[in-house]
Amino acid sequence: MKKTIIALSALALSTPVLANALSHASDETVTQAHQNADHAKEKLHHAQHRGEELQLKTKHSVEGKRDSTGSKISEGSQKAWDKTKEGTEKTWDKTKQGSEKAWDKTKEGAHNLKSRISE
């Protein structure tokens, strides 16, 4: 009986530590998943934008405007627009990830508070 009480006491004391360790591990896993997704999106966008640039250059070549000032301005505008879109998406992703992280910490804090109150 005494051994059981000691074992249960040790388990009760180690539970918050274990929960914190598991939470920390899952936070790192989520962060890594977000980074991998961001990297994959970036590569996809670069490929898409490169394709759009090549299409525009081909169109200008076919029209005989390849070296014209208008085509160079058009191609430069396309590049600037693509960079703007990428920057906006990166910012949105970071904001969303930050919000998720803050929400998770809020839920964790509420759970901890609820646990302390119920004890």
Side-chain angles (χ1 to χ4, degrees):
M1 181 73 170
K2 194 174 188 181
K3 289 181 183 179
T4 305
I5 293 173
I6 291 172
L8 288 175
S9 296
L11 181 62
L13 290 174
S14 66
T15 301
V17 173
L18 180 61
N20 189 23
L22 290 175
S23 173
H24 182 67
S26 69
D27 288 347
E28 288 177 0
T29 304
V30 169
T31 300
Q32 185 63 39
H34 283 307
Q35 287 175 350
N36 290 343
D38 291 345
H39 184 68
K41 278 186 196 178
E42 192 173 330
K43 287 180 107 175
L44 173 66
H45 289 309
H46 283 294
Q48 287 174 334
H49 296 156
R50 182 69 181 141
E52 290 170 2
E53 289 172 21
L54 291 174
Q55 280 182 326
L56 190 57
K57 284 183 180 187
T58 302
K59 179 183 171 192
H60 290 158
S61 290
V62 168
E63 294 173 352
K65 302 177 186 176
R66 188 172 138 210
D67 294 326
S68 73
T69 303
S71 74
K72 289 181 180 180
I73 291 171
S74 175
E75 291 167 10
S77 296
Q78 182 67 43
K79 283 182 181 182
W81 176 246
D82 291 341
K83 285 186 180 192
T84 300
K85 287 191 307 186
E86 284 181 32
T88 302
E89 187 168 333
K90 281 181 185 179
T91 303
W92 172 249
D93 287 344
K94 294 298 178 192
T95 301
K96 187 174 136 187
Q97 291 167 11
S99 297
E100 288 173 358
K101 197 172 187 177
W103 178 245
D104 290 343
K105 286 189 185 248
T106 301
K107 288 191 304 187
E108 182 182 325
H111 178 71
N112 289 342
L113 181 62
K114 184 179 177 182
S115 297
R116 288 182 192 154
I117 291 171
S118 65
E119 288 178 352

